[in-house]
């Protein structure tokens, strides 16, 4: 049976939005991604509104290591006493606040700009309580789901595929104007291969890091 999913959308960098997903499980909730530091109050309020009081959040699972998805992980871990599990390749990103820790080395312009706009602040860096690999059974973290490595956006980007067929795809896809490969690509060949991998899955709905959920058919139709 599908678990109820609450989408929590936070704003960052003026015009951008990013999603976190609160999934109801037997004995509480699992939070997939945690939004940017700037969206903290809104996210915390949304958790409480959904009935997720401290003690009810059992686990935080991250799809990848970027600052807009991990900005409140350490804060919420402390506040709600919920451990953090994330894809192994991206652990260095959240430990050091360096988005290139699991990407190809940046050119000089990116290297100059990135620390100014897209960086996990020192106080919000953390060491995850657990890391997982492709194919991991996430029941260990309280969610009836499997980890599916979907690299390309960064090395660790990972889909969380629930037993009900919902796929939280991280930043493989976005759906701002239409469902498509997300604009920030580190490794184009890997990203394409990840998109092809998703097409082989039996899915109910795809929940992207940015934008609205969509079906696999909607993605295929929008990207012939
Ligand atoms: Zn993102």
């Amino acid at each position: 049976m599908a678990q109820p999913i609450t989408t929590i959308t936070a704003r960052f960098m003026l015009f951008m939005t990013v999603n976190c997903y609160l999934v109801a499980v037997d004995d509480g909730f699992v939070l997939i991604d945690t939004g940017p530091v700037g969206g903290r109050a809104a996210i915390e309020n949304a958790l409480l509104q959904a009935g997720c009081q401290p003690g009810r959040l059992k686990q935080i699972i991250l799809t990848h290591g970027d600052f807009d998805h991990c900005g409140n992980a350490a804060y919420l871990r402390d506040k709600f006493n919920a451990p953090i599990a994330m894809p192994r390749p991206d652990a260095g990103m959240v430990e050091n606040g360096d988005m290139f820790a699991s990407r190809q080395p940046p050119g000089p312009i990116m290297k100059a700009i990135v620390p100014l706009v897209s960086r996990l602040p020192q106080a919000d860096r953390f060491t995850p309580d657990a890391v997982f690999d492709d194919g991991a059974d996430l029941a260990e973290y309280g969610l009836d789901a499997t980890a599916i490595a979907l690299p390309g956006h960064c090395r660790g980007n990972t889909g969380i595929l629930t037993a009900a067929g919902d796929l939280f795809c991280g930043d493989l896809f976005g759906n701002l104007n239409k469902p498509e490969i997300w604009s920030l690509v580190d490794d184009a060949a890997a990203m394409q291969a990840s998109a092809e991998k998703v097409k082989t899955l039996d899915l109910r709905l795809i929940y992207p890091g940015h934008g609205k959920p969509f079906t696999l058919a909607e993605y295929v139709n929008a990207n012939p």
Side-chain angles (χ1 to χ4, degrees), residues 18 64 66 68-69 153 171 182 210:
V18 60
H64 64 294
D66 272 335
D68 53 329
H69 301 256
H153 172 68
D171 280 356
W182 185 235
H210 305 268

Side-chain angles (χ1 to χ4, degrees), residues 77-92:
R77 172 168 68 183
D78 286 355
K79 185 95 185 198
F80 289 80
N81 196 24
I84 303 167
M86 70 177 292
R88 186 185 307 274
D90 284 4

Side-chain angles (χ1 to χ4, degrees), residues 37-55:
V37 171
R40 180 163 297 168
I43 291 164
E44 199 174 347
N45 275 333
L47 291 182
L48 299 175
Q49 288 277 317
C52 183
Q53 322 295 336

Side-chain angles (χ1 to χ4, degrees), residues 92-102 114 119-120 125:
M93 293 169 89
V94 300
E95 283 164 357
N96 308 319
D98 175 8
M99 70 179 278
F100 293 105
S102 74
V114 162
R119 201 152 205 222
L120 196 61
R125 295 174 196 172

